[in-house]
Amino acid sequence: SEKPRVFLLDRFSLVYTALAVPLVLYTSLLHHMIFGAKYEFLPLMFTSSYCAIGVVGSWLSFSVVHFTA
């Protein structure tokens, strides 16, 4: 059909949001339990990578919507 589909959350956003829970659990609780004081950079690295993927994914989805409309 020619009617545009509108979703509150598309698949990428749904998966991205769902992956936030394990990331927060790891950075808040599990990292300290597993590694102690070693590898203190890992939670920040994982969070930064996660956010970078979100920014690029949002930019790509906006570009698709903008250029196909």
Side-chain angles (χ1 to χ4, degrees):
S1 76
E2 294 185 21
K3 181 181 174 187
R5 297 188 309 178
V6 178
F7 295 106
L8 180 61
L9 292 175
D10 59 349
R11 289 183 188 127
F12 174 77
S13 297
L14 188 62
V15 170
Y16 183 77
T17 305
L19 287 176
V21 174
L23 177 68
V24 169
L25 286 175
Y26 173 76
T27 57
S28 305
L29 303 171
L30 296 177
H31 180 77
H32 183 67
M33 291 170 47
I34 295 171
F35 294 112
K38 297 183 339 185
Y39 305 115
E40 293 178 353
F41 65 92
L42 278 180
L44 180 60
M45 184 181 75
F46 289 152
T47 304
S48 297
S49 300
Y50 176 81
C51 292
I53 290 169
V55 168
V56 171
S58 297
W59 178 75
L60 286 174
S61 64
F62 173 76
S63 296
V64 167
V65 168
H66 179 71
F67 291 119
T68 57

